[in-house]
Amino acid sequence: MSSAPDMRLPVEASDALARIDACQARGEADACRQALHALHAGAGDHPALLQALGLRYTALGLHEQAGACYAQAVRLAPADPDALYNHATALLALGHVDDAETALDQAIRLAPRDGSAWYNRSTLRRQTPDRNHVDALRQALPSMAPADPERIPLQYALAKELEDLGEHAAAFAALRAGADARRRRLRYRVEDDLETMRLIESVFDEDFFQRPIEGHPDARPIFVVGLPRSGTTLVDRILGSHSAVASRGESSDLAQALTRIAGPARDKAELVRRAARLDFPALGRAYRDTLAPGPALRIVDKTPANFLYLALIAAALPQARIVHLRRNPMDACYAMYKTLFRMAYPFSYDLDDLGRYWLGYQQLMAHWRRWLPADRFLELDYEHLVTGQEAASRRLIAHAGLPWEPACLSFEHNPHPTLTASAAQVRQPIYRSSVGLWRRYAEELEPLRRRFAHAGVEVEA
């Protein structure tokens, strides 16, 4: 389901939303927030406008305001499945998992072919023999044409629920069907991403890191990077449980600031080369301007793909901290493979693409490891985080330059909103069941294991 409302808006509201979108594209976060609040004040009886506002609040990480908009839209249009779906998304971000499931139940009753609602509902909790949707999913799939894109999220939902029930062979069969169908719909070449990573390594070389560069001195940002499903959300929640830390969740603000300051580029290669010659203090200020005002001493930016920009972070924000999450490559790749992302991570729907991308990422991270300042760059293994929670959490807080607080051990009680693929899981205490989970699918994942073994990569759990 598209989360964008499909109803006509008043001309004045459409114009105001267009101005807000342009403001956001320029990175003027404060002005964007103020304009949203002003428009929200007069939107109380228009469900389409409330949903449009909710989408923009969500993009800014303002999930409480988004939730208020969607709740009012549902009150005005209780039979609108789009409003219910969007409300469920906000409820999940705010930690109201049971209410989110109820909203998705209602959305599916009204729009039974909405694959995204089926998939999101399946991911909200661990399914049990007494409470699951496997039969309903198996009944819904045959009603859809083989090429219907709505089949894809239903296949992922079925795979997730079957895995919860311990039916691993059937789970992987459903997962493979969904991933193959998703991959066929993409025009993607993993080699393009690998070429870009190799170019980044060659452009941001030893000479770059030895140049005297004066960036912007803001010490608040903590960039948490890695591959998706590697524990970045968990680290975000641990850090965000500290009284002096705020989280902005995932954000494209750094990448957008880069493209604004670098100017139009013909392709990625030109953008990479131009990035090495930026006005780095200006880039740091542009990123600073996207941060929400407040008393926080540290602000977490948990955007996995920022691992591509670590040289720019070091140059533009030399006082910022960086935390890199690592994970056993087989578990990491399987966790990505079984997740249906929206538009990001196109390499995650094919095992060969996944293996090649992971090796490219590993090579780039080895390059950064050689040159990033050790006092600003911390690496944590997911496995150590879940088996030695307190020691790893203390390392994180010390890296942030903050005094220890016991609340960081109870991150599941962190009330702050979060909206990532792990949004439901991080409302629970740390669990270890995903460590070594790939071995349940050792036969199906054997081609991936062979690729890593051939590259000399250790894959033991």
Side-chain angles (χ1 to χ4, degrees), residues 26-48:
R26 293 192 298 270
E28 299 169 359
D30 280 343
C32 192
R33 284 187 285 267
Q34 292 171 15
L36 276 173
H37 294 323
L39 188 56
H40 187 184
D45 61 351
H46 201 299

Side-chain angles (χ1 to χ4, degrees), residues 273-331:
R273 293 188 176 94
R274 191 176 292 175
R277 303 188 299 273
L278 286 183
D279 179 340
F280 290 108
L283 177 60
R285 290 192 298 271
Y287 181 79
R288 174 208 59 195
D289 291 344
T290 69
L291 301 178
L297 298 179
R298 303 286 181 264
I299 301 176
V300 181
D301 185 326
K302 187 216 80 72
T303 307
N306 278 343
F307 80 86
L308 296 166
Y309 307 121
L310 295 189
L312 298 179
I313 292 171
L317 293 159
Q319 300 306 311
R321 278 85 168 170
I322 298 166
V323 179
H324 172 224
L325 267 294
R326 302 179 296 201
R327 189 176 183 182
N328 175 288
M330 292 296 291
D331 275 335

Side-chain angles (χ1 to χ4, degrees), residues 20 33-45 49-50 53-54 57 64-70 72:
I20 289 170
R33 284 187 285 267
Q34 292 171 15
L36 276 173
H37 294 323
L39 188 56
H40 187 184
D45 61 351
L49 179 54
L50 286 163
L53 288 167
Y57 276 132
E64 292 180 356
Q65 293 89 332
C69 286
Y70 292 141
Q72 178 66 3

Side-chain angles (χ1 to χ4, degrees), residues 90 263 363 368 370 435 460:
Q363 179 177 326
W368 295 145
R370 285 192 293 272
V435 175
E460 293 299 320

